[in-house]
Structures are given as C-alpha cells and as structure tokens.
Amino acid sequence: MIALILRDIRRGYAGGGATLVVIFFLLTATLFPFAIGPDPALLARVGGGVVWAAALLAALLPVERLVAPDLEAGVLDQIAVRGRSMAAVAAAKIAAHWIAFAPPLMLAAVVAAALLDLSAETLERVEIGLAIGTPGLAALAVATAALTASFRGAGALAGLVMLPLAVPLLIFGAGALDGGEGAFKLLGAVSLLLVAGAPFVAGAAMRTAME
Amino acid sequence: MTLVVDGLAARRGGRAIFADLSFAVDAGDALIVTGPNGVGKSTLLRICAGLLPPFEGHVTRPDRVALMAEAAALDPDRTLAQALAFWSKVDGADDPDGRVEDALADVDLAQLARVPVRMLSTGQRRRAAMARVVASGAELWLLDEPANGLDAAAVARLEVLVERHVERGGSAVVATHLPLHLPATQRLVLEGGA
C-alpha cells in the first residue's frame, strides 16, 4: 500500500498536476475582485468565503485523473489480482491525493489572502479550516472519481456529483471565519465522515467499473 | 490442486457466453484455452483471476495469481525498470529491483530498463507485461493472448518461460488463438454460438 501511495503522490505532482490546481485556485480567487469591484473593505469581508469557494472548485480539477486512467490502463485489475481490497486502494488514493493537493493549496491560500487583502486572523482561520476540511475534500474527490470513472466526459458529471456533497464543508469552513468555534468542530465531523465513508463507496464503485 | 473450476457459467451483457465448464489445473500443469474471438476466453481468465464473479459455479484459486491481460498497466512516464519495480513492491518482494532485473533479462528487455514505458513498442510492452508475471513469483499464471504482437524470437522465449515455470511446479492457463508450443497437459476448446 505504501508503494501505491508513493506512486499516486508522484503522479499527483508529475505533469504539473499540483501546479495546475494552484494556478486555477489563484485565478478563481482573483476573478472575484473583478466581478464584485475592488473595494478593499468588501473584499476583506467576503475574501475568506472566496478562498473556500475557490478551493472547492480547484479540488474538482484533478478528479478525472484520479481513478479513470488506472481503470483504463488495467492498474486496478492488476492490484485486484494481487488480492488487495478496492476499499484499501481507495483509502491509499485518498491519502495520496490529500498529500499531493492540500499542501500546495494551503500555500496558495496565503497568496490568495494577500490578493484579497485578508487580515492575518482571517488567513489563520482559513488555513486551519483548510487543514481540517481538505481530507474530506480529497475523500470526496476520490469517491467522485471512482463513481464517474467508467463514463466518457466524466468531468462535468464529476462536478454535479461532487459539488453538492461538498457544500457542508463549504458552509462550516466559511462559517468558522466569523469566529464560531463550533464550526471547526462541525467541519471536522463532516471531514471525518467523508474520510471514513468514501473508501467503501469508492472501492465498491471501482469494483463495479472493473466488471 | 492449484486451480479448480467447477460448473462455471458466465454471462456478459445478459448473454450467456459459456456454461457448465469444469476443469482443474494442478501444480506442474498447463492448460491451453483456444476458440474463436468473442467466445469468452478473456472472460474465463478474468473469472479465474477473481476479477469477475462467476454467474454460476465455483472457482478455487491459489493465493498468488499473476494475470497478463490486454492492458499493460505500466505507468507511461516511468522507466521500464521503475514501472515494473512498483508492481514488485506491491507484490511484497524482498528485493524488487533485483527481481525486475532478472525478469527483464528473461524477456530480453534488460537493455531497455532505463527507457520510459511510453517509448516502447507494442511487442515490447507485451514482453514487459510478461516480465511482471515472471517477477511476481505467483504459482498460477493466467496469460491472455500472451503472443499477440510478439515476433518469432519473443514467442520462442515466451514458450521457454512458461515451460520453465511449469517445470518448477507452477501452473498456467494460456488463452490464445495462435499456435503456441507449450508443454500443455490439457487443452480446452471453447465453442462459439452458445
């Protein structure tokens, strides 16, 4: 399993995957000042929420590359032949995806905070929220990737599946910005639930896709 | 008894492709499965590998099975040796790099060990997939059209490898439509039109 995690992390960073997520995230974050006007006070107020929404959209980006290529190339078949459960494979993929996607995103959030003129306090809350919420996002991304792996043009479908399910993360992540301590706990609860449930959903989906 | 198939029936897309198939492959045995395209050779192998559930019947297989299927399952951006070493690590081998080196020598690809997989030709990828089977050290080899895309010399090498595996007490099931000179003790001809 370690070998699988290392391989997926490498694949996550290879080919500019992580860079693409970071650039997309920053681009989305910079769109908001253009859309709602460059008023610093307004930006500072909505900025934290903007970072969260951008993070959610950026998390969608690598979904197509998480499971579908492995299904097509027969990698999942070869792993299954070796007697590994697909749920364990999904758990490894979640761990690898989180490692490949969360740290660059959290670094990029610092840059986004500067662009949106967020206070140090808001940035801190955003970063804590992202640290708690990104495992849930990674789990959701892998589950979505597995569910849509056998469809052509799964990208758009992935968005339809994943974004509604990610709404609780967004609500509690952005809710924690206003200083509600309870929001962090609820964010953690949602994230844990996703991390605990996603491997089984993704594992079953990958099994079905292989048949 | 390595692989036992008892009363096996398979369906694909709701259509029965074969039914009531029974055979057993012992250690030191090889079974050659032949038959026209679409008759279910690959399906049979995938069921034997545990990738597909049988529609009816039972399959008993050993713990360690190696499958050579149509898809190469090698990361295109990695070198051949790295891509194979990954699988050797998944297999839990003690010395993955050493195993891969030996297996690559067996399929005569040692000189390409440092070449990225995406640069390899079709036949070379098939030989690389064969190297993965050799390196796996599995008791049972399931080979689906292993000779596809291979030149005459590579086919001869494939036959030698299967023979060596069987002589060492391994077993193999080979689905092929090409005439292969294998030390097969059993033959199974799947008939079409079922």
Side-chain angles (χ1 to χ4, degrees), chain A residues 1 3-5 7-8 10-11 14-15 70-84 207 210-211, chain B residues 46 49-53 63 65-69 71-78 86-87 89-92 132 136:
Chain A
M1 279 301 122
L4 187 60
I5 294 176
R7 165 186 178 269
D8 274 19
R10 209 194 49 75
R11 282 170 60 88
D70 281 358
L71 179 70
E72 205 164 314
V75 172
L76 296 182
D77 285 348
Q78 288 293 337
I79 294 174
V81 165
R82 285 158 173 77
R84 305 296 169 85
R207 268 251 148 228
M210 280 158 59
E211 283 172 8
Chain B
R46 286 178 72 82
L51 295 176
L52 287 178
D63 293 334
V65 178
L67 172 71
M68 179 175 175
L74 297 166
D75 289 337
D77 58 326
R78 308 229 76 189
F86 163 71
W87 287 110
K89 281 173 199 153
V90 173
D91 281 329
R132 173 173 51 213
S136 73

Side-chain angles (χ1 to χ4, degrees), chain B residues 71-135:
Chain B
L74 297 166
D75 289 337
D77 58 326
R78 308 229 76 189
T79 69
L80 183 54
Q82 287 169 333
L84 286 171
F86 163 71
W87 287 110
S88 209
K89 281 173 199 153
V90 173
D91 281 329
D94 295 331
D95 175 20
D97 294 321
R99 272 190 179 229
V100 166
E101 208 173 302
D102 293 347
L104 281 176
D106 281 341
V107 296
D108 198 19
L109 282 180
Q111 73 283 7
L112 296 180
R114 288 171 192 284
V115 174
V117 171
R118 69 188 140 82
M119 311 282 249
L120 299 182
S121 73
T122 311
Q124 286 166 340
R125 273 176 219 213
R126 293 300 282 170
R127 275 148 70 190
M130 192 60 206
R132 173 173 51 213
V133 171
V134 173

Side-chain angles (χ1 to χ4, degrees), chain A:
Chain A
M1 279 301 122
I2 304 286
L4 187 60
I5 294 176
L6 290 176
R7 165 186 178 269
D8 274 19
I9 293 173
R10 209 194 49 75
R11 282 170 60 88
Y13 282 106
T19 328
L20 211 64
V21 168
V22 165
I23 292 174
F24 182 81
F25 170 73
L26 289 176
L27 214 60
T28 316
T30 40
L31 279 182
F32 281 84
F34 290 115
I36 60 177
D39 173 18
L42 180 63
L43 283 179
R45 200 156 56 76
V46 300
V50 166
V51 171
W52 263 100
L56 213 62
L57 293 175
L60 260 182
L61 208 55
V63 162
E64 266 183 298
R65 301 189 306 148
L66 288 177
V67 175
D70 281 358
L71 179 70
E72 205 164 314
V75 172
L76 296 182
D77 285 348
Q78 288 293 337
I79 294 174
V81 165
R82 285 158 173 77
R84 305 296 169 85
S85 86
M86 281 295 122
V89 172
K93 282 193 169 292
I94 289 169
H97 178 48
W98 183 71
I99 295 171
F101 143 91
L105 192 74
M106 289 175 67
L107 276 178
V110 178
V111 181
L115 291 173
L116 295 165
D117 197 23
L118 295 189
S119 68
E121 197 190 332
T122 312
L123 174 62
E124 192 190 327
R125 291 188 159 270
V126 166
E127 292 287 2
I128 295 173
L130 283 178
I132 301 173
T134 42
L137 267 186
L140 203 53
V142 170
T144 309
L147 284 167
T148 56
S150 46
F151 299 112
R152 295 264 161 254
L157 188 62
L160 293 182
V161 174
M162 183 170 162
L163 285 181
L165 291 171
V167 163
L169 289 172
L170 183 67
I171 291 174
F172 297 130
L177 298 173
D178 302 330
E181 288 306 323
F184 278 138
K185 289 177 186 159
L186 285 168
L187 180 64
V190 174
S191 195
L192 270 179
L193 191 70
L194 288 171
V195 170
F200 299 102
V201 174
M206 288 194 280
R207 268 251 148 228
T208 313
M210 280 158 59
E211 283 172 8

